[in-house]
Amino acid sequence: FPSHDNSLQVYYDNKKVDNTGLEAALAQLSGSQPGATLVLNADKTVPIENVVSIMGMANRPNLRMILATEPAE
């Protein structure tokens, strides 16, 4: 699943990827697992623009994405 850490690195399945690699992985997932739900984990310091960019990449007919949050304290 995609994640974004506070150094603005993007990971997919715990492997560091660039935008091209993430796009390719999402395209493959869209074709091989229609209806898959992705969980985006983003550090709270990541700018919202970066989060929205990743969510936009996953905006495919066969994929859904949710944004994981930490429970309220």
Side-chain angles (χ1 to χ4, degrees), residues 29-48:
L29 181 64
S30 177
S32 65
Q33 294 184 38
T37 299
L38 300 166
V39 179
L40 175 59
N41 296 292
D43 186 89
K44 65 183 177 182
T45 62
V46 173
I48 192 67

Side-chain angles (χ1 to χ4, degrees), residues 1 3 8 14 22 39 43-44 51 54-56 60 70 72:
F1 301 113
S3 64
L8 302 182
N14 296 317
L22 181 58
V39 179
D43 186 89
K44 65 183 177 182
V51 173
I54 290 176
M55 292 180 87
R60 299 171 185 273
E70 292 184 18

Side-chain angles (χ1 to χ4, degrees), residues 2 22-23 26-27 29-30 36 38-40 51-66:
L22 181 58
E23 285 272 5
L26 295 175
L29 181 64
S30 177
L38 300 166
V39 179
L40 175 59
V51 173
V52 170
S53 174
I54 290 176
M55 292 180 87
M57 288 182 206
N59 188 16
R60 299 171 185 273
N62 295 334
L63 297 178
R64 293 176 296 196
M65 180 174 280
I66 60 172

